[in-house]
Amino acid sequence: MFSKSCEYGIRAVIYIVSASKNGERVGIGEICQNIDAPEHFTAKILQILTRNRIVSSQKGVHGGFYLDDYQKGLALIEVVTAIDGKTLFTGCGLGLKQCSETNPCPIHSKFKSIRNDIKKMLEQTTIEELGNSIKKGKSVLKTLKI
Amino acid sequence: MFSKSCEYGIRAVIYIVSASKNGERVGIGEICQNIDAPEHFTAKILQILTRNRIVSSQKGVHGGFYLDDYQKGLALIEVVTAIDGKTLFTGCGLGLKQCSETNPCPIHSKFKSIRNDIKKMLEQTTIEELGNSIKKGKSVLKTLKI
DNA sequence: TAAATAAAAGACAAATTTATCCTTTATACA
DNA sequence: TGTATAAAGGATAAATTTGTCTTTTATTTA
Ligand code: FES
Ligand code: FES
């Protein structure tokens, strides 16, 4: 469904929101320990997200990553499109060069419906909402014991 | 969503069903021309499908690929699982080592619902049905003009 | 101002997926 | 029986994704 990059990116932003109480910044080391992701690789993904103003960052002592109030309210689809692009929402399920209403592939109508459900779900889910779920202990960002 | 291998595989079986009138066999060259896929690569995918008894093949003169009546009635999910495995239907949307009801990721319940919709759709769609759509000219297996 | 810190950025490496080429095996048919 | 044909299979290569390591830049604080 999502690329590894995207999975790490989503988990990272959720962790940041869940961990940064009152504007505190979270370092890449702490993030990656808590989401069980490779550090340097995830750092690059967070670079993409900061360039796209989906997360904020601060260099130097007491620096790290955080989300401002506007960013917390962003929907998950912003994270996904920044990392994986829009192919999941616009591309043909059978890999035709373009999804077309006039020359559809055989699964077009069924696939389109699912594609739209995914899009809706990602549009309706905010980063903050998922962060709260983690804060309350209702969900996790890494498998506990191996 | 699906891997390239799976996209080619699905398009190939649909083409075979749509093109082989009364048990006629279809060669790999003809298949790949009509679904716009790389020949040797697609041949290997069809090998996987024949090993899994999802398509039939015949070597030698007048050989090629075809589907018997039982195979035509198979659902698309058989093709997908043979090529891409079951990860799409069982794996965690955020890439956790395992999807768990007791220790869910933050999007588990929303993702599970979509995952099940995809599964249902693939279970309810038969190869033959999609082949008929092609036969009737209601859909296509490759983008017409580039 | 200098040292310490942490993200940004660049270069490189491993792993996986996708794609190509060549040889072998099975089958039909002359 | 021998030849042509087409799938099966093996080896290799290109491309992409994923992961690691090192250097640079910006910022804080002593
Ligand atoms: S043409 Fe294939 S999904 Fe629209
Ligand atoms: S735990 Fe992530 S989808 Fe179930």
Side-chain angles (χ1 to χ4, degrees):
Chain A
M1 181 78 70
F2 306 124
S3 68
K4 274 284 162 207
S5 294
C6 197
E7 292 174 353
Y8 294 150
I10 296 174
R11 281 168 27 210
V13 296
I14 296 175
Y15 178 77
I16 295 168
V17 166
S18 78
S20 78
K21 299 110 170 56
N22 35 8
E24 222 175 272
R25 280 135 203 183
V26 192
I28 187 68
E30 180 186 339
I31 295 169
C32 290
Q33 278 185 341
N34 285 283
I35 68 172
D36 194 22
E39 189 164 320
H40 295 282
F41 188 61
T42 306
K44 289 200 183 307
I45 298 159
L46 284 175
Q47 280 175 36
I48 295 172
L49 295 177
T50 52
R51 269 187 239 118
N52 282 272
R53 313 228 183 273
I54 291 164
V55 317
S56 303
S57 70
Q58 180 80 8
K59 289 184 181 180
V61 184
H62 297 137
F65 297 93
Y66 64 100
L67 275 76
D68 63 32
D69 285 347
Y70 170 75
Q71 291 169 330
K72 286 179 189 171
L74 288 176
L76 215 51
I77 198 167
E78 304 293 335
V79 178
V80 173
T81 53
I83 299 172
D84 277 354
K86 290 177 298 181
T87 316
L88 181 59
F89 316 118
T90 60
C92 169
L94 294 189
L96 301 196
K97 277 163 193 160
Q98 56 175 355
C99 171
S100 155
E101 213 65 55
T102 51
N103 287 110
C105 75
I107 66 165
H108 172 79
S109 94
K110 290 177 177 184
F111 185 76
K112 190 180 163 190
S113 150
I114 283 168
R115 220 174 45 181
N116 286 342
D117 288 347
I118 297 173
K119 198 179 171 200
K120 262 187 231 157
M121 187 269 268
L122 294 174
E123 281 168 348
Q124 289 167 358
T125 308
T126 67
I127 300 173
E128 192 166 32
E129 173 190 341
L130 301 179
N132 285 335
S133 158
I134 295 293
K135 275 186 193 168
K136 290 179 193 160
K138 298 197 171 178
S139 59
V140 299
L141 287 171
K142 67 171 181 179
T143 305
L144 305 178
K145 44 177 178 165
I146 305 169
Chain B
M1 180 79 68
F2 306 123
S3 68
K4 274 283 161 210
S5 295
C6 196
E7 291 174 353
Y8 294 150
I10 296 173
R11 279 163 35 205
V13 295
I14 296 175
Y15 177 78
I16 295 168
V17 166
S18 79
S20 77
K21 298 107 168 57
N22 32 9
E24 222 175 273
R25 280 135 204 183
V26 193
I28 187 69
E30 179 186 340
I31 295 170
C32 291
Q33 278 184 342
N34 284 282
I35 68 171
D36 194 21
E39 190 163 319
H40 295 282
F41 188 61
T42 306
K44 290 204 181 302
I45 298 160
L46 284 175
Q47 281 176 36
I48 296 172
L49 295 178
T50 52
R51 269 188 239 117
N52 282 273
R53 312 229 183 271
I54 290 164
V55 318
S56 303
S57 71
Q58 181 80 8
K59 290 183 181 180
V61 183
H62 298 137
F65 296 93
Y66 65 100
L67 275 76
D68 62 33
D69 286 345
Y70 170 73
Q71 291 169 331
K72 285 178 188 170
L74 289 176
L76 215 51
I77 198 166
E78 304 293 335
V79 179
V80 173
T81 52
I83 299 172
D84 277 354
K86 290 177 296 180
T87 315
L88 181 60
F89 316 117
T90 60
C92 170
L94 294 189
L96 301 196
K97 277 164 194 160
Q98 57 174 353
C99 171
S100 154
E101 212 66 54
T102 50
N103 288 111
C105 75
I107 66 165
H108 172 79
S109 95
K110 291 177 177 184
F111 185 76
K112 190 180 164 190
S113 149
I114 283 168
R115 219 174 46 180
N116 285 342
D117 288 347
I118 297 173
K119 198 178 171 200
K120 262 188 230 158
M121 187 270 267
L122 294 173
E123 282 168 347
Q124 290 167 357
T125 308
T126 67
I127 300 173
E128 192 166 34
E129 172 190 342
L130 301 179
N132 285 334
S133 159
I134 295 293
K135 275 185 190 165
K136 291 179 191 160
K138 299 198 171 177
S139 59
V140 300
L141 287 171
K142 66 171 182 180
T143 306
L144 305 177
K145 45 177 178 166
I146 306 170

